[in-house]
Amino acid sequence: MSTLAAAEAARLPIMLTELRLPTIKRLWADLAGQSNREGWPAERFLEALLAHEITERETRRMARARADSQLPPGKSLAEFDFAAVASVSKAHIMALAEADGWIAQGHNLLAFGPPGVGKTHLIAGIGHALVDRGYKVLFTRTSDLVQRLQAARRDLRLPAELAKLDRFDLLALDDLSYVRRDQAETSVLFELIAERYERKSIAITANAPFSAWDEVFPDKAMTLAAVDRLVHHATILEMNVESYRRKAAARPGRAQDGQQGTKRKSARGESNPISGQNG
Ligand code: ADP
Ligand code: MG
């Protein structure tokens, strides 16, 4: 290498740091050596460097999106046994997992059923698939999010907090029916639903049908207004099957998870969340 070339090479790491190109910074010396030895055209060398940077950038972005999503690890669609829930079509879920237009249009996804039937697993599986496709997802227990929004309201920064949630293409609210309005006033949840209406998607899991959501929102009018917005453009999955957990525990030879024999109460006896709406 000439003195001039050596001086130029010495500046490279600084420039690559400045430009935030860590992969090229790590690889350029080796690739330059190979390129010089094998007499690559300049285009090929440049293309190889940029391709490495893009690939690693995408990997880092995906890992960050996965961590940000707070999705439960391991709850993927590949691990979901569709045979256990006859009312749910695998083809339909796979279409939802490919985004299939509903995310772009801000449509919603609601999963109803008693405890243990796989509502959380299914919603999380769709969430993971969407992250794989480059969408931003946030999975949270509904009561945790309500607390966070209430704290924001107390500090007069609810709009800022809602704006922060806006960067997520899908907000997955787990166990909505566990929120109780006596926890504090939960109109923040309504505000979130109204804010995202027809813009950004929400997925919800709930044990209780709509008729029981009066327990969640401050009054009946707000419950109706929330349900109205949620179902206007929504896929509703009714999962009224036997608890997968209980079934797995009862199956001989299966790993025991400590749930065996646990009595689980079913959701309020209604099989159709819509028809339960006025009940
Ligand atoms: P829910 O949210 O309806 O209470 P979960 O999604 O938490 O139920 O499911 C309970 C447990 O059973 C989890 O460990 C979940 O992974 C597993 N599970 C439930 N349904 C299925 C299924 N169809 N295939 C595979 N695992 C399932
Ligand atoms: Mg659940």
Side-chain angles (χ1 to χ4, degrees), residues 222 246 251:
M222 200 179 279
R246 197 167 42 200
R251 216 173 293 154

Side-chain angles (χ1 to χ4, degrees), residues 58 61-62 66 76 97 125-135:
E58 180 56 23
R61 201 191 58 73
M62 188 84 83
R66 184 95 49 205
S76 69
I126 292 170
H128 277 297
L130 291 173
V131 170
D132 291 341
R133 297 192 152 252
Y135 292 97

Side-chain angles (χ1 to χ4, degrees), residues 35 39-48:
S35 171
W40 290 3
E43 292 87 341
R44 178 164 173 204
F45 175 58
L46 185 61
E47 194 276 340

Side-chain angles (χ1 to χ4, degrees), residues 219-276:
D219 57 54
K220 212 170 186 85
M222 200 179 279
T223 307
L224 280 179
V227 170
D228 228 49
R229 282 167 177 76
L230 283 173
V231 302
H232 184 192
H233 311 283
T235 297
I236 297 179
L237 306 172
E238 291 181 48
M239 303 171 67
N240 290 296
V241 294
E242 202 200 329
S243 162
Y244 191 88
R245 259 190 224 115
R246 197 167 42 200
K247 237 174 17 193
R251 216 173 293 154
R254 286 290 296 241
Q256 305 294 301
D257 64 359
Q259 300 285 351
Q260 190 172 25
T262 308
K263 275 253 161 36
R264 297 189 167 273
K265 65 175 183 329
S266 72
R268 327 234 158 169
E270 274 132 313
S271 61
N272 185 336
I274 303 270
S275 65

Side-chain angles (χ1 to χ4, degrees), residues 75 79-81 84-85 114-121 244-245:
K75 302 298 176 191
E79 299 291 317
F80 193 80
D81 172 15
V85 201
V117 296
K119 301 180 298 296
T120 298
H121 188 145
Y244 191 88
R245 259 190 224 115

Side-chain angles (χ1 to χ4, degrees), residues 120-150:
T120 298
H121 188 145
L122 195 58
I123 296 293
I126 292 170
H128 277 297
L130 291 173
V131 170
D132 291 341
R133 297 192 152 252
Y135 292 97
K136 294 208 168 68
V137 176
L138 178 67
F139 178 97
T140 171
R141 261 198 304 221
T142 314
S143 52
D144 290 349
L145 187 70
V146 164
Q147 275 179 19
R148 177 172 149 190
L149 293 177
Q150 280 166 343

